[in-house]
Amino acid sequence: MKNLFVKLLSISMAFGTITLTSCDSDDPEPITGGTTEVMENLDAGILNGTLTEDYTLSSTTTYSLTGQFIIDDGATLNIPAGTKILADNGGTDVYIATLMGGTININGSAGNPVIMSSADGNPGDWGGLTLCGKATTTAGVDATAEVGGFIYGGTDDSDSSGIIRYLQISGTGAQINSESQYNGVSFYAVGSGTLVDNIAVINGDDDGVEFFGGTVEVSNLYLENNSDDSIDWTEGWNGSITNAYISNTVEGFSTVFEGDKDNGNPQFNNITAVSTVGGTALQFKKTSGGTIDGLSLVGYDVDLDMKDGGATSNVIFSDGYTPVAMVEDDASTTDVDESVYTFALNTSAVATVDLSDFDWVDTDISFESSLLQGAVTGDVTLDASIAYVLNSSYIVQDGGKLTIPAGTKITARDGGTGVYIAVLQGGQIDIQGTATNPVVISSASASPGDWGGLTICGNATTTAGVDATAEVGGFIYGGTNDADNSGSVKYLVLKGTGAQINSESQYNGVSLYAVGTGTTLENISVINGDDDGIEFFGGTVSVTNIYLENNSDDAVDWTEGWNGTVTNTYISNTVEGFSTAFEGDKDNGNPKFVNVTAISTVGGTALQFKKTSGATITDLYLSGYDTNIDMKDDGPLANVIIEGVAATTTDAYNTGTQVDISTWTWIDASL
């Protein structure tokens, strides 16, 4: 955030004769009551005490918030556009609160927002803004707030606490005790008669906004680096939020959303949340829930967390999100009935709200051009001179094209299933590596399972049918165009792929879903994948020159009737516990393999065929495997043709010419 109050202090000096310097050299002590004293201090540019009558601030005065400023029942505080309020770094003793029956009218504008902040805008400097209303809450009538001991809650769901328009509030979240902190803006049983439009909460040390029951609706909400939850609600709040942009660039925050207790089914329309530091997006406790329409999440490790094992049916995604259970590797959660999910949806990277919609917010937040995340909707060409970081999903949409020139290095964040590159049906990828300058995409440590990998979805045929749903990402694939073109991939090195989605599914190094013959795939190396090196789900695409080293499951896997050709395959297994060199499954599309070398130093199984799958293989060389041919489901050996004849389970298959990789100097290129 820009240091707003470098500007504010200069303004304050300019108007010193009517603001702070109009006081004696000894500043007045905080006023805890007394109408005359409060009004005099307001006239002097000081907010402190309890306002018991109507007052309008001046936009030409920089006000100093020196303590508790409370708007009492029956009083109205008007804050015109352009007003600036500088809060002392007084922690929980410095805040603004509107009690039940009180009214605050913040009338900022896009050109002149109202600013409330401490001098530096650092998290926890002061309390924030609290509104108490007379709407319903499951806490009951005349409940006591966890902050300030304020009374809130009634029976009037249309109650009005005033107007908040174009407010930027920074540096809030002072800690009361180990359990409670102030939020940027706290809404206690605030009713639907309250107008809230265009609020920005930046650098709060607790929540950005929190709703304690009530029915208030909010539109155009900007939330940046709030340390706990960006949006929090409880006590049956059943209002709505329309158009919210949320960013998390500081590690250690809690969530984007946190819903708690009874489900009032609040509505959320057009929510975009972006993280550069992983974390959890949506969390629901107890039986809480909501209805969400137009959601875009980018960069989060966990999309949905049902903290107490609540029913996912309480959370309605009108865009068709499907929660897919994730493997929870945090041992600390084993004693908690908790379920975490990623979403099966291929459009989640398309922002529904744009950062430019909040150009009235004074912030330095930006996402470096070296950060790859979100959606590719037009033609995007990377720059080989830039060290890129793949922070999240990076999804090439229908009609989009991603070009990656020779020599480009991309470091994938160790973010598991939340980090991958995908090309959707109708999208294209053009990886232009060369033998001397391959494209490298790897996690920093290149450890198995660090990130997802590369997924391409096409319109070719598959036995799964037209518009099938992929097991990874929920992507749609499959059509009737066997000549479909998803682009070109040449000289690509992938390391550390294979993040595990759940007990049944993992990402592969390269996943090819119904990819057609118009797609070019040449010279691909997949090393240290925690699942398959390359897997074909139907389609007709062919590949030339693939190097597959120590992929934990299968080096080459295919299913759904894939019937392309792979020419020159070199497989190396030197780590125990892998599955197979080849695994074919389901219907036999009779794919062809020309020149296959697979060498193991740790035994294991070479070629495995499930169901009725098969292939035609020529020039096969196997070495070091305990089992060369495994017909897993006793399928017919006649489906597996090796060197022109049906396979046997006893042949050594060691007479083929080994694939010469001595000239493949690019295969182990590093970041």
Side-chain angles (χ1 to χ4, degrees):
M1 190 184 107
K2 294 177 181 175
N3 192 340
L4 299 177
F5 284 95
V6 170
K7 305 173 186 177
L8 297 190
L9 290 174
S10 64
I11 296 171
S12 175
M13 292 174 64
F15 292 97
T17 57
I18 61 172
T19 57
L20 300 179
T21 57
S22 66
C23 302
D24 295 333
S25 58
D26 295 324
D27 289 339
E29 292 295 319
I31 303 297
T32 58
T35 299
T36 301
E37 293 88 348
V38 171
M39 300 300 280
E40 287 177 350
N41 276 278
L42 282 169
D43 291 341
I46 298 171
L47 302 181
N48 196 316
T50 300
L51 181 68
T52 58
E53 58 186 87
D54 297 353
Y55 191 90
T56 299
L57 302 184
S58 170
S59 62
T60 61
T61 299
T62 297
Y63 289 87
S64 179
L65 178 63
T66 62
Q68 304 163 3
F69 187 71
I70 298 173
I71 303 161
D72 206 354
D73 181 7
T76 298
L77 177 67
N78 298 305
I79 306 179
T83 302
K84 296 174 176 60
I85 298 174
L86 174 60
D88 284 357
N89 293 358
T92 57
D93 294 328
V94 179
Y95 59 81
I96 297 174
T98 301
L99 304 187
M100 289 199 299
T103 302
I104 188 168
N105 293 321
I106 298 174
N107 286 302
S109 66
N112 284 293
V114 170
I115 305 292
M116 299 180 183
S117 178
S118 58
D120 297 319
N122 291 327
D125 280 348
W126 65 294
L129 174 64
T130 295
L131 281 70
C132 300
K134 299 176 181 179
T136 53
T137 164
T138 58
V141 174
D142 293 341
T144 301
E146 66 178 6
V147 297
F150 305 124
I151 303 302
Y152 69 102
T155 59
D156 182 7
D157 280 344
S158 62
D159 184 43
S160 175
S161 297
I163 296 170
I164 303 177
R165 280 196 179 109
Y166 289 99
L167 168 65
Q168 177 168 314
I169 188 165
S170 306
T172 58
Q175 186 155 350
I176 301 167
N177 54 45
S178 60
E179 300 299 322
S180 301
Q181 288 173 285
Y182 281 87
N183 305 300
V185 184
S186 299
F187 296 92
Y188 282 91
V190 175
S192 60
T194 309
L195 192 155
V196 184
D197 180 29
N198 286 289
I199 296 180
V201 184
I202 299 173
N203 290 353
D205 207 27
D206 198 55
D207 302 332
V209 295
E210 184 166 5
F211 303 87
F212 298 83
T215 55
V216 67
E217 298 179 345
V218 179
S219 58
N220 302 318
L221 185 58
Y222 177 91
L223 301 164
E224 175 189 314
N225 286 331
N226 294 285
S227 302
D228 194 24
D229 313 305
S230 294
I231 299 173
D232 195 348
W233 70 93
T234 185
E235 299 178 9
W237 171 60
N238 64 353
S240 67
I241 293 177
T242 300
N243 299 334
Y245 188 93
I246 298 154
S247 60
N248 296 110
T249 63
V250 177
E251 292 182 352
F253 71 94
S254 178
T255 67
V256 172
F257 278 14
E258 181 184 282
D260 194 11
K261 300 181 181 175
D262 294 350
N263 182 16
N265 191 31
Q267 311 289 302
F268 300 92
N269 306 300
N270 297 332
I271 309 295
T272 291
V274 180
S275 173
T276 63
V277 289
T280 297
L282 314 181
Q283 184 181 83
F284 296 88
K285 297 179 177 179
K286 309 293 185 181
T287 59
S288 63
T291 296
I292 306 173
D293 181 21
L295 175 66
S296 171
L297 301 177
V298 173
Y300 298 91
D301 299 321
V302 174
D303 291 333
L304 176 63
D305 177 13
M306 304 305 292
K307 184 69 174 177
D308 300 304
T312 58
S313 58
N314 286 346
V315 186
I316 307 300
F317 299 100
S318 56
D319 287 336
Y321 284 72
T322 301
V324 177
M326 294 174 60
V327 172
E328 180 54 66
D329 57 7
D330 183 354
S332 66
T333 65
T334 56
D335 296 329
V336 181
D337 187 11
E338 181 174 10
S339 302
V340 293
Y341 301 85
T342 186
F343 284 137
L345 185 76
N346 58 23
T347 58
S348 61
V350 180
T352 55
V353 181
D354 195 88
L355 182 59
S356 63
D357 296 337
F358 295 91
D359 56 3
W360 61 272
V361 178
D362 194 351
T363 173
D364 278 340
I365 195 74
S366 64
F367 298 105
E368 299 294 333
S369 60
S370 61
L371 202 64
L372 303 181
Q373 59 185 19
V376 176
T377 56
D379 288 354
V380 174
T381 300
L382 303 187
D383 183 342
S385 67
I386 294 176
Y388 290 98
V389 173
L390 179 63
N391 180 62
S392 179
S393 60
Y394 195 45
I395 302 177
V396 183
Q397 304 291 316
D398 182 5
K401 182 177 181 180
L402 174 63
T403 300
I404 306 179
T408 302
K409 303 291 197 328
I410 300 173
T411 301
R413 181 175 65 86
D414 180 2
T417 57
V419 180
Y420 59 84
I421 295 175
V423 182
L424 305 188
Q425 288 179 311
Q428 288 202 336
I429 189 166
D430 184 9
I431 295 178
Q432 302 174 340
T434 66
T436 54
N437 282 298
V439 170
V440 180
I441 310 175
S442 171
S443 57
S445 66
S447 297
D450 280 349
W451 65 292
L454 172 63
T455 296
I456 302 176
C457 301
N459 291 291
T461 53
T462 164
T463 58
V466 174
D467 293 340
T469 301
E471 66 178 6
V472 297
F475 305 124
I476 303 302
Y477 71 102
T480 59
N481 181 14
D482 280 344
D484 187 39
N485 182 0
S486 296
S488 175
V489 177
K490 295 181 178 180
Y491 291 99
L492 170 66
V493 178
L494 299 172
K495 296 182 179 181
T497 59
Q500 186 159 350
I501 301 168
N502 53 44
S503 60
E504 301 299 322
S505 301
Q506 288 173 285
Y507 281 87
N508 305 301
V510 181
S511 298
L512 302 168
Y513 284 91
V515 176
T517 57
T519 308
T520 299
L521 301 175
E522 298 177 357
N523 297 291
I524 298 173
S525 171
V526 184
I527 298 173
N528 291 351
D530 207 27
D531 198 56
D532 302 333
I534 186 168
E535 183 165 6
F536 303 85
F537 298 83
T540 54
V541 69
S542 295
V543 186
T544 302
N545 299 342
I546 53 174
Y547 177 85
L548 305 163
E549 177 185 318
N550 288 330
N551 295 284
S552 302
D553 195 22
D554 313 306
V556 181
D557 194 349
W558 68 93
T559 185
E560 298 179 8
W562 169 62
N563 63 356
T565 299
V566 177
T567 303
N568 300 332
T569 304
Y570 192 97
I571 298 167
S572 173
N573 293 116
T574 64
V575 176
E576 293 182 350
F578 70 94
S579 178
T580 67
F582 276 16
E583 180 184 284
D585 193 13
K586 300 181 180 176
D587 294 350
N588 183 17
N590 192 29
K592 296 175 175 54
F593 295 88
V594 180
N595 301 337
V596 178
T597 295
I599 298 174
S600 173
T601 63
V602 289
T605 298
L607 313 184
Q608 182 180 83
F609 300 89
K610 297 179 177 179
K611 309 293 185 181
T612 60
S613 64
T616 296
I617 306 171
T618 57
D619 216 352
L620 172 65
Y621 179 89
L622 302 178
S623 175
Y625 296 92
D626 300 318
T627 300
N628 286 334
I629 304 293
D630 177 19
M631 305 306 291
K632 184 71 173 177
D633 300 305
D634 296 323
L637 283 165
N639 284 354
V640 183
I641 304 300
I642 300 177
E643 315 300 358
V645 298
T648 73
T649 57
T650 57
D651 200 306
Y653 293 114
N654 59 2
T655 60
T657 303
Q658 293 190 44
V659 175
D660 183 6
I661 60 171
S662 63
T663 60
W664 295 11
T665 56
W666 52 274
I667 56 177
D668 197 25
S670 300
L671 292 170

